[in-house]
Amino acid sequence: MSNPAYKPDEDAATIFQEDTWLQGALVMCIAYGSVATLAIQCFFMLVRGLTRAKFKRDFPLVLFVMIMFSLSTIFIGTAMQFTQQAYVDQRNFPGGPSAYEVLEFSLPIDSVANVTLVMSCFFADALLLWRCTVIYRNSAVPSWVSVTLASLFWLTEFILGTLFLKQIMSVSPWGAVNFTLGFWCFSLALNVLATFLIVSRLLLYRFRLARVLGSGHGAQYTSVVAMVVESELLYTAFLILFIVPFVLNHPLENVFIQCIALIQAISALMIVYRVAAGHGWTKDTYAQVSTRMHSTIQLSNLSTLRAAPSASHVTQESKISSSGITVSQDVYMTKEYSSVEVV
């Protein structure tokens, strides 16, 4: 139990602000551990058994994993250095560590962290657009419709992100929330749109597969886990947890804003992990599933035709063999195959 005599001479609101900044830094370290683990697993799964064809196919994903891991490492390093400055090196700053975190947001060390944060957001959302393209390939709805819509959101997010970075190089994002709030809201809108597009498409496949092949087929592509991972729902939920306190100017925003980049990196790497493990939807999945569905339908029709025929399709032929014995034959006619089966 803490001794009240050693509490700092600050009001409860200031202490709570400092608590949230420090707790956010601790959560950020935990999230980075997940990023590092996923990045290493994805890298080795992608390069395992590497051939020229596999290298050509998986090189973009390998490059993506390396970029996300590098950005996350730079982010955690600079962010923790900034936290150290606030709580140790500059702890006598007027207003305490929480005031330092807000007012010194444009320092070079923190600017690097902010740049890597925004770049991680750009790359992760670009991966989400790629997943939309893959999942909507060979769809009845042209893939360019969904991809174009999502791309417009991404382009708007890119512009707002650039303006956001320009703004925070000179002032704190809490001083003028125009570009800050706009950037994160468009990132949220893009992820909500992508979530809707991906989940609705996977649910449609799930319905078709269950109707033709049974509920157990294609579960690796259409399960709840697949939908959550493919749509980066984890990042979407976490972003909402940041935006709501940010709009309300509640100190809890300090916990979530420090972890956004790493949570998005985790969501993106989980998609790569599913693809590398062979559980993610690829450009060939639709063709494979369609072939299985078509084959099942053909076998079902053939089984129906092979069943006992109706009386209208049965004729009887009789002939006398060379030994003088009368032989009767039941002849079954099938219209679909225009063939004769002799029993």
Side-chain angles (χ1 to χ4, degrees):
M1 184 175 180
S2 60
N3 191 336
Y6 298 112
K7 284 188 176 182
D9 188 18
E10 295 175 345
D11 58 272
T14 301
I15 293 177
F16 184 60
Q17 284 270 6
E18 295 175 1
D19 287 344
T20 55
W21 278 111
L22 186 59
Q23 289 163 3
L26 296 176
V27 175
M28 180 173 58
C29 293
I30 297 173
Y32 177 74
S34 300
V35 171
T37 302
L38 279 170
I40 293 172
Q41 288 181 325
C42 290
F43 179 81
F44 282 105
M45 290 182 70
L46 289 169
V47 301
R48 183 175 54 192
L50 195 62
T51 61
R52 177 172 295 184
K54 190 174 185 296
F55 175 79
K56 184 178 180 181
R57 183 193 65 191
D58 293 341
F59 177 74
L61 290 179
V62 174
L63 184 61
F64 177 83
V65 170
M66 295 174 65
I67 290 174
M68 293 302 293
F69 177 71
S70 300
L71 291 175
S72 298
T73 302
I74 295 172
F75 174 80
I76 188 71
T78 52
M80 290 307 298
Q81 177 62 34
F82 186 65
T83 301
Q84 177 183 316
Q85 290 181 190
Y87 282 86
V88 180
D89 301 337
Q90 305 290 325
R91 59 184 172 184
N92 290 328
F93 186 85
S98 62
Y100 185 89
E101 294 269 9
V102 174
L103 298 177
E104 300 299 318
F105 206 81
S106 58
L107 287 178
I109 188 68
D110 203 39
S111 295
V112 174
N114 293 323
V115 170
T116 56
L117 182 151
V118 174
M119 290 181 64
S120 296
C121 185
F122 290 159
F123 278 105
D125 286 343
L127 178 74
L128 204 56
L129 293 181
W130 170 67
R131 295 307 294 163
C132 285
T133 304
V134 171
I135 292 176
Y136 271 85
R137 183 169 296 178
N138 298 318
S139 169
V141 179
S143 59
W144 64 266
V145 175
S146 58
V147 174
T148 300
L149 183 60
S151 298
L152 290 175
F153 274 87
W154 186 88
L155 182 61
T156 305
E157 176 193 303
F158 181 84
I159 295 173
L160 288 174
T162 304
L163 295 174
F164 165 71
L165 287 176
K166 183 178 180 180
Q167 170 191 310
I168 63 176
M169 293 298 178
S170 56
V171 296
S172 168
W174 287 269
V177 299
N178 45 5
F179 293 130
T180 304
L181 186 60
F183 169 66
W184 291 118
C185 283
F186 260 93
S187 179
L188 177 63
L190 174 60
N191 279 267
V192 169
L193 175 63
T195 297
F196 172 77
L197 292 174
I198 291 174
V199 170
S200 60
R201 183 66 172 162
L202 292 179
L203 283 175
L204 178 61
Y205 276 123
R206 184 175 186 172
F207 172 75
R208 290 177 177 176
L209 287 172
R211 186 178 59 180
V212 177
L213 302 178
S215 58
H217 292 272
Q220 69 269 32
Y221 307 119
T222 59
S223 64
V224 175
V225 174
M227 296 178 195
V228 170
V229 173
E230 290 283 6
S231 63
E232 289 191 6
L233 192 58
L234 174 64
Y235 170 69
T236 303
F238 206 87
L239 193 55
I240 293 174
L241 292 176
F242 160 68
I243 290 178
V244 173
F246 184 84
V247 172
L248 298 176
N249 197 26
H250 193 278
L252 281 178
E253 65 180 294
N254 303 330
V255 176
F256 300 110
I257 192 174
Q258 299 180 79
C259 308
I260 287 179
L262 299 173
I263 295 298
Q264 189 166 34
I266 291 172
S267 299
L269 291 174
M270 287 173 67
I271 294 177
V272 177
Y273 181 85
R274 281 184 58 84
V275 174
H279 300 311
W281 194 279
T282 66
K283 63 179 182 179
D284 300 322
T285 303
Y286 178 82
Q288 295 170 358
V289 172
S290 298
T291 301
R292 291 172 60 188
M293 292 174 62
H294 185 66
S295 299
T296 302
I297 293 173
Q298 283 187 329
L299 289 174
S300 177
N301 292 337
L302 183 59
S303 299
T304 303
L305 294 172
R306 293 288 185 181
S310 60
S312 60
H313 291 85
V314 179
T315 60
Q316 191 175 63
E317 293 183 357
S318 300
K319 65 180 180 178
I320 301 176
S321 65
S322 58
S323 60
I325 300 175
T326 301
V327 179
S328 297
Q329 295 177 322
D330 291 331
V331 181
Y332 301 97
M333 302 295 297
T334 58
K335 294 181 180 180
E336 288 81 355
Y337 291 96
S338 299
S339 61
V340 178
E341 297 179 8
V342 180
V343 180

